[in-house]
Amino acid sequence: MAHTTGYDRFSVWLHWLMAVLLLAEIALGLWMLGLPKGGGGLRAYWFNVHKSVGMLLGLLLLVRLAWMAVRPRVPAVPMAAAMRLLARAGHGLLYALMLVMPLSGFLGSVFSGYPIRFFGMQLPQLAQRWEPAKELLAGVHQWAAYALIALTALHVLAFLHHQFILKDGLILRMR
């Protein structure tokens, strides 16, 4: 594949769209857990919003992975081998968690016995209520959320390190 020095506009747009949606999704997920059960459906409403945005993020991730497979590769920033390995591992974990999050949330919802809605449209019921699977997937979803929060913080810190300490112009690749 051909190499370029910066990411194409679609890749940059998709990165920032997903970043904003992901941060909003995490904030919503943490906030809605404090909503009382019952009480006129407020909790169910926000859970459905959370599920819809999560499924959208899952679909956007699939688009992003497909686009990465066909777009020209952007060369790595010159850095020490250990740092390059950490950067690759960090990005790989980010993608893995961005896949685990919507998948575990969706499957947990499938086994919850409740209808799943995608922005109001009810999806077909794929399975009956299965409490052990629901609980396992809820645990995976929660663990992955905390891991994603930590890894996202490291991702931002790595950017700040490049921008303000190394001053290597890394952000210019995202134009």
Side-chain angles (χ1 to χ4, degrees):
M1 291 218 145
H3 290 279
T4 69
T5 57
Y7 291 96
D8 59 274
R9 295 233 184 249
F10 184 69
S11 295
V12 173
W13 177 83
L14 200 50
H15 172 274
W16 290 112
L17 174 64
M18 289 184 69
V20 167
L21 287 174
L22 190 60
L23 291 174
E25 183 75 336
I26 288 170
L28 175 60
L30 293 171
W31 171 78
M32 70 184 195
L33 291 175
L35 293 174
K37 293 185 178 180
L42 181 66
R43 183 179 167 99
Y45 171 80
W46 286 110
F47 266 76
N48 283 323
V49 169
H50 180 75
K51 291 174 187 183
S52 294
V53 174
M55 287 185 278
L56 177 60
L57 278 163
L59 293 172
L60 288 172
L61 179 64
L62 295 178
V63 168
R64 192 167 174 180
L65 291 171
W67 183 244
M68 284 173 57
V70 299
R71 71 167 163 73
R73 303 226 11 121
V74 176
V77 172
M79 63 179 87
M83 294 303 286
R84 188 171 32 259
L85 180 64
L86 284 172
R88 281 190 188 141
H91 282 103
L93 284 171
L94 278 170
Y95 279 96
L97 290 168
M98 286 189 295
L99 183 62
V100 167
M101 288 292 297
L103 195 55
S104 62
F106 179 77
L107 291 174
S109 293
V110 164
F111 294 122
S112 73
Y114 293 107
I116 301 172
R117 299 185 188 287
F118 184 67
F119 294 107
M121 179 180 60
Q122 187 167 329
L123 301 180
Q125 185 75 27
L126 298 176
Q128 298 298 315
R129 182 174 181 85
W130 185 17
E131 191 64 27
K134 177 186 141 314
E135 290 301 319
L136 173 67
L137 290 160
V140 168
H141 192 70
Q142 184 175 12
W143 171 87
Y146 292 126
L148 189 58
I149 290 167
L151 208 52
T152 300
L154 284 174
H155 184 71
V156 171
L157 288 173
F159 159 73
L160 293 172
H161 177 73
H162 277 277
Q163 186 67 19
F164 297 111
I165 295 172
L166 298 178
K167 298 179 182 180
D168 59 7
L170 182 74
I171 192 69
L172 296 175
R173 297 159 45 106
M174 294 293 287
R175 284 185 161 184

